Amino acid sequence: MLESVKLVPTRVQVVCAKGIDLRWLRDTMNREGKAFGNYVAEGEEQALLLRWKEEPGS
């Protein structure tokens, strides 16, 4: 039985990945996404776009 919970307030800063970090993230997501039939493409302004190789439901 849960008797208590300790909550510690934190602050998270989001920083956009660029350069080698962006390529690492894209490559990692592409490797892991193969099993699900998806891939990641680079979009405008260093955005990553999740795409499916086939239309869902087809």
Side-chain angles (χ1 to χ4, degrees):
M1 176 197 286
L2 181 64
E3 294 183 16
S4 68
V5 174
K6 180 179 180 180
L7 300 174
V8 179
T10 59
R11 181 177 294 175
V12 176
Q13 181 178 5
V14 176
V15 179
C16 292
K18 295 179 182 177
I20 194 167
D21 294 328
L22 183 67
R23 289 188 296 275
W24 175 86
L25 183 57
R26 180 203 60 211
D27 294 345
T28 300
M29 292 178 73
N30 278 333
R31 183 185 68 237
E32 298 301 321
K34 283 182 182 180
F36 302 101
N38 60 42
Y39 66 97
V40 173
E42 289 186 44
E44 295 179 13
E45 299 179 7
Q46 299 180 339
L48 295 177
L49 307 172
L50 181 62
R51 306 280 188 191
W52 278 260
K53 294 181 182 178
E54 297 180 12
E55 288 294 319
S58 62

